Amino acid sequence: MQINKVAFIGKGGVGLLYGSMIAQALGNDAVEYVMDDARFERHANEALTVNDKPCVLKSVRASEATPADLVILTVKTTGLDQALKTMERIVGPDTLIASLCNGITSEQKIAERFGWEHTVLGICQGMDAVFLNGALTFTNAGEIRFGAAAGTDPATVIAIDELYTRCGIAHTVEHDIAHRMWAKLMLNDGINQTCMAYGGTYGSATEQGSEQLRSFVSAMRETLAVANAEGIELTEEDLTQMVRLIKGLDPAGMPSMAQDRIAQRRTEVEEFAGTICRLAAKHGIQVPQNEWLYLRIREIEASW
């Protein structure tokens, strides 16, 4: 199967970044952003830009959409339940599904609704995209890591791999995608939440000797311990690799939760620290940094 039509659920930073790359390779008609009717109306008159160029990629009402070859979810986990409802009109019997949502729970929820055969597990990492006030800016598009679940048809992985290659999207097909997803959760637990709690940037969170760097590393080390208890072999080498990745990004850039703080949007703290705190309690592991981050971020959200 060759993928020629891609529908995105989510027209934020990640969705615009990868949608624009696919459109550049395959043409604007190959990409559409599908929204429930209420969201479509709210965003109908938005003027979006990607690296200072007008974004002309089309949005489509879910009630008027038709099945796509591939659906890519780029929503926050806070919007996943609504996204699954929006998808119902665009997932046909042969539609493939890839989630780039944060955390480790989205694909299970997707598969419960649409099955595992055409669903892959995945994450994206390494981009320095900032999306504020309708303007997406980035210098590093990062990469996608994805792979099969136990019930995924191998042809699904092959078709998505071929699309990303055709569109020049950096990616890796992972044989142990669960390890990679936990590594990304570890990173988000540290960098996303620390930058949100302190109002920081990639630069301030990696400043040697700083309180933000201590928080960043401590939260990740707690996640590593929980992952090990869950049977995922994360190591200190994985942690060091993630710190090195963030140090290589634009120091003035910031992750999505720090952008949420500026825009006063609901965050994904439940998917990050919430998940770690719940699993830690199950295994009798102490995670004081994640507990503090959870409470601090909730306190900031409550002040809006």
Side-chain angles (χ1 to χ4, degrees):
M1 174 186 178
Q2 185 177 76
I3 297 169
N4 296 308
K5 177 185 175 184
V6 181
F8 281 84
I9 308 293
K11 203 174 184 179
V14 174
L16 286 174
L17 190 159
Y18 288 120
S20 63
M21 293 180 71
I22 293 171
Q24 185 173 12
L26 305 185
N28 289 350
D29 289 343
V31 176
E32 62 185 25
Y33 295 87
V34 181
M35 305 177 183
D36 62 81
D37 288 10
R39 185 175 297 274
F40 182 91
E41 294 294 341
R42 287 199 302 273
H43 298 284
N45 297 317
E46 279 186 334
L48 304 179
T49 61
V50 177
N51 282 343
D52 299 322
K53 295 180 180 179
C55 175
V56 296
L57 300 176
K58 64 183 177 182
S59 297
V60 178
R61 297 174 186 268
S63 59
E64 299 173 354
T66 57
D69 297 329
L70 171 66
V71 175
I72 301 179
L73 286 94
T74 54
V75 297
K76 287 185 174 186
T77 53
T78 53
L80 182 58
D81 289 342
Q82 180 58 53
L84 294 176
K85 296 177 183 177
T86 302
M87 286 171 62
E88 289 177 351
R89 289 291 296 271
I90 58 172
V91 175
D94 299 316
T95 299
L96 311 183
I97 302 172
S99 172
L100 298 180
C101 298
N102 284 320
I104 56 173
T105 64
S106 67
E107 286 89 350
Q108 180 62 44
K109 293 178 181 177
I110 293 165
E112 287 172 359
R113 180 75 65 91
F114 300 107
W116 277 115
E117 182 181 2
H118 295 145
T119 301
V120 296
L121 299 159
I123 57 100
C124 55
Q125 64 183 35
M127 68 279 296
D128 57 5
V130 174
F131 183 56
L132 289 171
N133 301 318
L136 170 67
T137 56
F138 69 92
T139 56
N140 189 336
E143 63 174 340
I144 293 174
R145 301 288 188 96
F146 77 100
T152 306
D153 183 343
T156 296
V157 175
I158 293 170
I160 296 174
D161 179 25
E162 189 276 334
L163 172 75
Y164 292 159
T165 299
R166 196 166 14 123
C167 296
I169 295 173
H171 68 285
T172 299
V173 177
E174 295 275 0
H175 297 293
D176 186 2
I177 186 61
H179 178 277
R180 179 54 51 185
M181 292 177 74
W182 268 93
K184 175 67 184 296
L185 177 61
M186 178 174 68
L187 175 62
N188 275 329
D189 229 52
I191 193 65
N192 242 311
Q193 297 187 132
T194 292
C195 286
M196 197 288 179
Y198 288 90
T201 64
Y202 294 131
S204 65
T206 53
E207 183 181 348
Q208 197 62 36
S210 69
E211 172 63 18
Q212 289 186 44
L213 178 59
R214 185 205 65 78
S215 172
F216 175 22
V217 174
S218 295
M220 286 202 296
R221 190 159 282 131
E222 291 175 358
T223 304
L224 188 157
V226 172
N228 290 167
E230 286 284 297
I232 305 296
E233 295 183 2
L234 284 186
T235 66
E236 283 289 324
E237 182 178 349
D238 292 314
L239 188 152
T240 300
Q241 181 185 51
M242 291 302 170
V243 174
R244 189 181 302 121
L245 184 153
I246 297 302
K247 285 183 176 180
L249 298 179
D250 179 359
M254 64 186 78
S256 60
M257 284 180 74
Q259 297 172 48
D260 292 337
R261 177 171 174 154
I262 294 171
Q264 297 190 351
R265 296 184 298 240
R266 185 181 171 199
T267 74
E268 294 181 286
V269 66
E270 200 63 51
E271 184 67 25
F272 298 156
T275 295
I276 296 307
C277 291
R278 286 189 295 275
L279 292 176
K282 182 178 78 171
H283 295 289
I285 298 171
Q286 299 298 310
V287 288
Q289 189 62 37
N290 273 275
E291 290 173 354
W292 181 83
L293 284 165
Y294 184 90
L295 293 174
R296 177 58 184 148
I297 291 168
R298 286 299 194 207
E299 180 181 42
I300 294 169
E301 290 179 329
S303 71
W304 298 334

